[in-house]
Amino acid sequence: MSRFAYVNGRYAPFRDAKIHVEDRGYQFADGVYEVCEVRGGRLIDERRHLERLQRSLKEIRIPLPMSARALGIVLREVVSRNRVGYGIVYLQITRGVARRDHAFPSPQTPPSIVVTARSLSMARNEALVEKGIAVVSVPDNRWGRVDIKTIGLLPNVLARQEAIDRGARDAWFVDKDGTVMEATSANAWIVTPARVLVTRHADHAILRGITRSVVFDAIKATTLSVEERAFTLEEAYGAREAFITSASQIVLPVIRIDGHAVGDGKPGPVATALRRAFHRYAEVS
Ligand code: PLP
């Protein structure tokens, strides 16, 4: 099946979808992005993702190149042209094309917009959820504003590869005090021996995941209690359960951390229940 991408106002066949060599995304990682889950051909939590996109753009002073409504139309068009029933849609906005210079280009420079979409295998994702994943911890060497969803992801790329090289699936960033920040492209959670859910508070040092926010809504409807606070790697090793949350994986159980089995080393009931409940609390559009 032929794939299409939206690039600066055009729906182009994938092989013709190109960005200029002096795009500031390419030169400086000077841009931001969003990823939405697609289910049944519909967008999950579009409103919240577009709100976070606008916040990210504002923080790095890139003007919103088109209204959130118009962006929504483009997202849907790319999903539909690529016939994505279940998968993800990716949106990237950079500061545009200009002669390479660190300072911002002239305000007339139009931001570049790229949208792609691709199908994922639900069966493969479900199989992964049933097995759970192993993670390893790595020092957090990222910049101080990872609350902005920028395309500058080199530390995340290196950490993910290190995890794979060490026989795991993902890495958890840990700060100099030994507290867990988040995974390379997901938020990190544990369930304590007293059955309390814990995830790190969202400040400038982690990305406030949309999935994380919706999971909070799902927890409210249960009798479980939840704490937003720092937790150490040691606490995570001794947790009853652990899991990560992101738009592409929703809730994915973590069964090993640095080689330590979490709980009984199998996906736990809390993670499994939250994953099942998630789409009752997410917005579909
Ligand atoms: N943390 C990081 C570093 C991420 O890159 C992501 C998603 O890409 C998340 C957390 C989860 O965010 P969301 O739930 O909005 O996908």
Side-chain angles (χ1 to χ4, degrees), residues 33-35 49 52 142 146 149 153 156 173 182-187 206-212 245-248:
Y33 75 106
E34 277 298 330
V35 178
H49 282 281
R52 184 173 64 187
R142 300 174 299 164
V146 296
K149 199 167 166 63
L153 293 171
N156 309 53
F173 288 116
E182 60 185 331
T184 61
S185 63
N187 290 116
I206 67 162
L207 184 76
R208 187 187 289 272
I210 302 302
T211 318
R212 176 186 181 280
T245 56
S246 71
S248 56

Side-chain angles (χ1 to χ4, degrees), residues 76-94:
R76 251 170 281 277
E77 186 62 27
V78 173
V79 165
S80 136
R81 286 192 188 219
N82 288 286
R83 297 198 206 125
V84 178
Y86 172 69
I88 50 171
V89 58
Y90 175 87
L91 160 65
Q92 172 173 316
I93 298 179
T94 74

